[in-house]
Amino acid sequence: MKQEYGLYETILNLKNIFLTKLFWRNARLIRYPFFMRGQRFFSYQKGLTLGYFCRFEAYSLPDDTEEKKIVIGENCKFGDRVHISACSKITIADSCLFASNILVTDNEHGDYSLHSQESPYDLPDQRPVKTKPVVIGENTWVGENVVILPGSSIGKGCVIGANSVVKGVFPDYCIIAGSPAKIVKRYSFDKKVWEKV
């Protein structure tokens, strides 16, 4: 898909290319404003492209090492307003494409499982932070308004439908959709088509 820009957008892109090469040398294009918290925990490979108003946050926890918490592979592209929040680790493999208005997080305030539950009387920001790593496989396409929750693992070559809420483990080469998300199609290498599940 070829993008055509008006004069104003062309001028903005030239400014953003200059700032990208000045501050983010391996990136292709960072559109500003871009918000980065915890930059020492952030790692990316060449070809990174970010839309406007992206926000990446990597938080330090007690007993942390200097290990990277947000790790992005080569040639990943993110639309506008993509929010990534990491306390443990979020790994995004090569050649992933993200639409806009997406949240990827490996953390939440409190535990609400059967085994341990927080009190609703505790202030939300004082509840203990619970973390589970997130992995997104290479060549995955994440649609508009998707939320990817802690502990999710998405295989390579997947498609995540718009407005999906993803939690769980999903294999390679499947289409995931819904809230909660489930597998709706798998790719058949024999027939070369996506087949309904």
Side-chain angles (χ1 to χ4, degrees):
M1 172 171 64
K2 184 179 177 185
Q3 301 204 13
E4 296 183 18
Y5 299 110
L7 178 62
Y8 179 72
E9 185 77 8
T10 300
I11 292 168
L12 274 182
N13 278 337
L14 290 173
K15 178 189 100 174
N16 287 327
I17 288 170
F18 173 76
L19 291 172
T20 299
K21 297 309 173 191
L22 188 62
F23 297 111
W24 304 92
R25 294 177 195 260
N26 279 336
R28 182 178 161 272
L29 175 62
I30 307 290
R31 289 182 175 90
Y32 289 87
F34 166 53
F35 305 98
M36 178 74 231
R37 183 178 290 163
Q39 187 170 344
R40 74 180 192 269
F41 296 116
F42 178 51
S43 168
Y44 70 98
Q45 301 301 312
K46 67 180 181 178
L48 176 67
T49 302
L50 299 181
Y52 296 104
F53 294 100
C54 286
R55 188 173 86 186
F56 292 2
E57 300 170 313
Y59 295 98
S60 179
L61 295 176
D63 303 323
D64 259 351
T65 64
E66 286 298 311
E67 185 178 337
K68 301 301 183 188
K69 295 180 181 233
I70 300 174
V71 178
I72 299 175
E74 288 187 6
N75 299 315
C76 288
K77 297 180 175 104
F78 298 82
D80 301 334
R81 296 171 303 280
V82 174
H83 180 191
I84 298 177
S85 173
C87 289
S88 175
K89 190 166 194 173
I90 295 174
T91 305
I92 299 170
D94 297 346
S95 303
C96 288
L97 178 61
F98 287 68
S100 299
N101 306 310
I102 293 168
L103 169 65
V104 182
T105 183
D106 71 357
N107 60 86
E108 55 192 344
H109 286 276
D111 189 346
Y112 308 96
S113 65
L114 294 174
H115 305 292
S116 174
Q117 296 191 2
E118 307 302 331
S119 168
Y121 296 109
D122 295 337
L123 296 175
D125 67 347
Q126 293 179 2
R127 298 173 192 168
V129 174
K130 303 294 181 184
T131 69
K132 288 184 184 174
V134 170
V135 176
I136 299 172
E138 67 185 44
N139 206 33
T140 290
W141 158 234
V142 182
E144 195 87 2
N145 299 315
V146 167
V147 175
I148 299 175
L149 295 171
S152 296
S153 179
I154 298 154
K156 62 185 176 182
C158 290
V159 176
I160 304 176
N163 301 307
S164 296
V165 178
V166 179
K167 185 167 187 162
V169 177
F170 297 90
D172 297 343
Y173 309 112
C174 64
I175 297 178
I176 306 160
S179 179
K182 62 182 180 177
I183 299 171
V184 294
K185 291 186 179 181
R186 289 182 195 255
Y187 190 72
S188 168
F189 287 93
D190 294 334
K191 300 176 185 175
K192 307 270 192 253
V193 295
W194 293 95
E195 294 184 320
K196 285 187 180 180
V197 174

